Amino acid sequence: MTTTHPPAAYARVTGVGGYLPGAPVTNDDLVRRGINTSDEWIFTRTGIRARHLAAPGETSCRMAALAATQALAMANCAAEELDLIIVATSTPDFIFPSTACLLQGELGNRGATAFDVQAVCSGFVYALAVADKFIRAGAHRKALVVGAETFSRILDWQDRATCVLFGDGAGAVVLEAAGEPGIRASALHADGALAGILSVPGRVENGAVTGDPFLRMEGQAVFKNAVRVLTEAARECCAAAGLETHDLDWLVPHQANIRIIEASSRKMGLSHEKVVATVDRHGNTSAASVPLALAEAVGDGRIRRGQNVLLEGVGGGFTWGAVLLTF
Ligand code: UT7
């Protein structure tokens, strides 16, 4: 797009939506499918009771479209009005075109800027911060920001230490130029020296997969680093917005493990009543986890207009970030 507008004071969330595929797959269902685990082990270590898994042929783009349709309806925005589409995903439908372009085609939008952001479980927070900056610079007015993942397809179902942790789904928001807040601050970081603790270290080369096409993780290293960086990003974001952590009405963290969520919120001095948790029912849906949790808490009336909400992500890369907004 070459159109430029006067810079906007803020970018504001006007719609949210979420989609989870199929029926919940419980921990006991995994045991019945032959995985050498137990509901007791998974729940005690992670807080996960169930996750949703995409059906064969159900892609990240398809789920993104269903979440996006809800978000557009809430924002009273037609797909044709969007001038920016960003999809955060590490499980794109294809190597290219981007899932954002596929989504654009599926929604019937033509001409908007469209691209994917790849920051694994921090992807949605990264994408939202990017959309905020594009809107405040005056380049765009109406953005669709989606996190969509089919991690079930990159899990090694023989590796019980990882396959029980993840699920599939999509969450979306519409973000529009506004005179009132809006996104107040964001903080995005990465440390490539930690690339090896969480990765899918394979690629397609000369018609075959080279390396390992499955998710590999050093669980304890991820756990420790996640608690540390989430707390740092939350403090940085609050300081940039001129707020204290006690000014927050809600924390919507990445949903990887309830123990990570509790440890970081405790360090921030936030009581658990202010924390949105879906990990028990969704598992870790990577880039979809934050917008799915946001959509759930807006949908059931917990998060209301005017409240201060901190969104946080952390994941492979190693990447992490936070966005503080007034809903
Ligand atoms: O977006 C970021 C994504 N990643 C994360 O958030 C993961 C962060 N890390 C964690 O949540 C934890 O490290 C895990 C939940 C993944 C693992 O918990 P842990 O306390 O670090 O367990 P561990 O890997 O040290 O394994 C302890 C034991 C081992 O048995 P032995 O060697 O002590 O006999 C594992 O073989 O638990 C065993 N184990 C399991 N047992 C039953 C590992 N996975 C399972 C399983 N069911 N699914």
Side-chain angles (χ1 to χ4, degrees):
M1 301 281 278
T2 49
T3 321
T4 50
H5 312 275
Y10 291 102
R12 186 169 166 267
V13 173
T14 54
V16 298
Y19 172 77
L20 291 160
V25 176
T26 65
N27 296 339
D28 286 331
D29 290 334
L30 296 184
V31 174
R32 279 189 281 275
R33 289 178 187 196
I35 297 165
N36 180 16
T37 188
S38 65
D39 177 59
E40 199 272 333
W41 191 95
I42 300 171
F43 184 70
T44 313
R45 306 279 173 132
T46 69
I48 297 170
R49 288 281 194 204
R51 72 289 293 142
H52 292 249
L53 303 175
E58 193 169 28
T59 65
S60 295
C61 177
R62 187 71 209 119
M63 295 193 296
L66 293 165
T69 302
Q70 272 184 17
L72 288 164
M74 179 176 163
N76 200 18
C77 174
E80 298 84 346
E81 294 172 51
L82 296 169
D83 55 14
L84 175 63
I85 299 172
I86 309 181
V87 175
T89 187
S90 300
T91 44
D93 291 24
F94 302 126
I95 290 178
F96 71 78
S98 70
T99 305
C101 287
L102 298 176
L103 176 63
Q104 180 180 35
E106 189 141 336
L107 294 176
N109 173 286
R110 301 186 78 178
T113 306
F115 58 92
D116 286 0
V117 161
Q118 217 282 35
V120 201
C121 304
S122 312
F124 179 78
V125 165
Y126 262 66
L128 194 63
V130 169
D132 171 52
K133 289 173 202 303
F134 274 38
I135 287 174
R136 281 190 298 111
H140 299 82
R141 303 284 296 175
K142 293 194 183 197
L144 174 67
V145 184
V146 186
E149 302 280 18
T150 42
F151 259 49
S152 59
R153 307 221 166 101
I154 54 166
L155 297 176
D156 176 355
W157 289 95
Q158 307 303 317
D159 177 11
R160 66 178 182 172
T162 54
C163 73
V164 302
L165 305 175
F166 295 89
D168 301 329
V173 305
V174 175
L175 195 67
E176 297 189 42
E180 302 293 317
I183 292 179
R184 290 172 172 273
S186 58
L188 302 178
H189 295 284
D191 181 359
L194 295 173
I197 65 174
L198 181 50
S199 63
V200 180
R203 60 183 174 275
V204 173
E205 194 172 288
N206 301 322
V209 173
T210 298
D212 183 347
F214 293 121
L215 182 149
R216 302 297 174 202
M217 179 171 73
E218 291 175 29
Q220 291 183 7
V222 171
F223 192 107
K224 274 188 224 137
N225 281 292
V227 174
R228 176 178 60 82
V229 299
L230 286 174
T231 313
E232 285 171 12
R235 293 213 173 103
E236 180 185 349
C237 226
C238 286
L243 296 175
E244 303 288 339
T245 48
H246 61 72
D247 295 320
L248 296 174
D249 295 295
W250 293 103
L251 175 68
V252 184
H254 173 47
Q255 308 285 322
N257 183 320
I258 196 69
R259 288 160 55 220
I260 296 177
I261 294 173
E262 285 171 356
S264 63
S265 55
R266 202 179 311 121
K267 283 185 174 210
M268 289 164 59
L270 281 183
S271 72
H272 73 273
E273 289 87 20
K274 291 185 164 189
V275 180
V276 178
T278 55
V279 66
D280 55 329
R281 289 157 293 122
H282 299 180
N284 180 348
T285 58
S286 189
S289 92
V290 170
L292 269 168
L294 179 67
E296 180 178 284
V298 170
D300 66 21
R302 271 178 291 170
I303 296 182
R304 297 189 307 275
R305 288 284 171 212
Q307 293 188 321
N308 292 323
V309 183
L310 185 70
L311 312 178
E312 285 183 329
V314 60
F318 207 58
T319 57
W320 64 97
V323 171
L324 202 169
L325 57 86
T326 301
F327 186 71

